[in-house]
Amino acid sequence: MVKNAVEIHDLHVVRGRRTVLEHLDITVGAGVTGLLGPSGCGKSTLMRCLVGVQQVAGGAVSVFGDPAGSSRLRDRVGYVTQASSVYDDLTVDENLRFFARVLGVDPAHVDRAVDAVDLDDHRDQVVGRLSGGQRSRASLAVALLGEPDLLVLDEPTVGLDPVLRADLWRLFHDLADRGTAVFVSSHVMDEAERCDRLLLMREGRIIADGTPTEIKEKAGAGNIEDAFLAIVRGAAA
Ligand SMILES: Nc1ncnc2c1ncn2[C@@H]1O[C@H](COP(=O)(O)OP(=O)(O)OP(=O)(O)O)[C@@H](O)[C@H]1O
Ligand SMILES: [Mg+2]
């Protein structure tokens, strides 16, 4: 049994002429791990490395002991990109059946995935006519099809109302309780408190790593946003 879902060693990524990730060493274990940082800091790039679609300049990323992107990981890792990956002109059900075929998973998993994201009442609706939150949940259902052991979710709650956001976070914790390692990014600092563990990122580096309580205490701040600012100011001083 591999202890960590993800082990990243000395990961270095350059996009265009810009260094986007700078010699990162990160592990991701059980529970819900949040990757938080401002727009452009490198969150999506890091997630792309985890699923093996990002060209890297150096370092190693392993997932359950195999190099990120290996075919053995195909149905062990679920990935939801920042842009929705479902087809607007297909219904929820048609989308899921299509992706189940692509992923080579049993179509019987469709029902369970629809149920997990609570879209039963909308499964025959065309995705283009769903609300933003329902759409996000449809994308998430696709990622759940293979019963992944690691879920990589890039800003899944952007633009959702507070009730839907709370629902989704509850779902992430339910999945984590059932053994899925959940790695979720956000640029909204107020989502930090919902994570079991937090990685704060800035300009391609991890500037803090710990539980929300640990990070706040260490920075002497009352909330994560203030902790982030205190850490940035401390580093500049
Ligand atoms: N295809 C690309 N070519 C060159 N540079 C890129 C490319 N994609 C992203 N970048 C740059 O890499 C950096 C990190 O981008 P990334 O998308 O990882 O940030 P992010 O933290 O996910 O931001 P956001 O919160 O806005 O989604 C940015 O400076 C961005 O401009
Ligand atoms: Mg991004």
Side-chain angles (χ1 to χ4, degrees):
M1 181 72 196
V2 181
K3 196 171 126 257
N4 288 309
V6 177
E7 300 203 344
I8 294 174
H9 178 63
D10 198 30
L11 177 63
H12 200 75
V13 173
V14 177
R15 296 184 90 168
R17 258 179 286 161
R18 185 193 302 265
T19 294
V20 176
L21 300 180
E22 270 198 75
H23 302 291
L24 298 184
D25 287 290
I26 300 173
T27 58
V28 180
V32 179
T33 304
L35 176 65
L36 265 84
S39 179
C41 73
K43 301 179 298 294
S44 296
T45 304
L46 176 56
M47 295 193 141
R48 286 163 52 84
C49 293
L50 292 195
V51 296
V53 298
Q54 177 64 50
Q55 195 178 352
V56 307
V61 181
S62 76
V63 179
F64 302 117
D66 282 314
S70 321
S71 57
R72 281 164 51 147
L73 295 170
R74 203 176 47 184
D75 58 1
R76 294 193 74 186
V77 179
Y79 175 41
V80 183
T81 61
Q82 208 164 344
S84 166
S85 45
V86 282
Y87 294 104
D88 271 350
D89 52 344
L90 300 181
T91 67
V92 171
D93 203 67
E94 287 163 348
N95 265 289
L96 287 166
R97 278 174 205 291
F98 169 74
F99 283 107
R101 248 193 337 268
V102 171
L103 293 167
V105 307
D106 189 335
H109 289 195
V110 169
D111 289 347
R112 209 200 35 231
V114 171
D115 193 47
V117 300
D118 205 17
L119 276 181
D120 292 287
D121 293 345
H122 299 277
R123 63 188 294 162
D124 296 321
Q125 206 166 321
V126 168
V127 165
R129 266 181 249 136
L130 294 176
S131 74
Q134 290 162 346
R135 229 183 125 84
S136 301
R137 283 184 281 153
S139 291
L140 185 58
V142 172
L144 294 177
L145 278 172
E147 297 203 289
D149 298 314
L150 170 68
L151 251 187
V152 179
L153 307 172
D154 199 354
E155 306 217 24
T157 60
V158 159
L160 302 189
D161 71 59
V163 175
L164 282 172
R165 279 210 283 169
D167 284 351
L168 270 184
W169 279 96
R170 204 169 304 118
L171 172 59
F172 302 158
H173 282 284
D174 285 348
L175 292 163
D177 289 345
R178 279 181 261 145
T180 308
V182 181
F183 189 60
V184 49
S185 72
S186 178
H187 67 265
V188 186
M189 290 288 164
D190 64 7
E191 303 217 280
E193 302 284 352
R194 301 182 186 273
C195 303
D196 298 320
R197 175 179 162 218
L198 270 185
L199 299 168
L200 296 188
M201 190 176 208
R202 181 170 187 260
E203 294 176 353
R205 297 168 196 235
I206 301 298
I207 59 169
D209 177 356
T211 66
T213 308
E214 284 165 358
I215 290 177
K216 282 183 291 183
E217 278 175 3
K218 198 160 170 223
N223 60 55
I224 294 293
E225 183 145 12
D226 289 343
F228 188 93
L229 293 172
I231 293 163
V232 169
R233 287 199 197 102

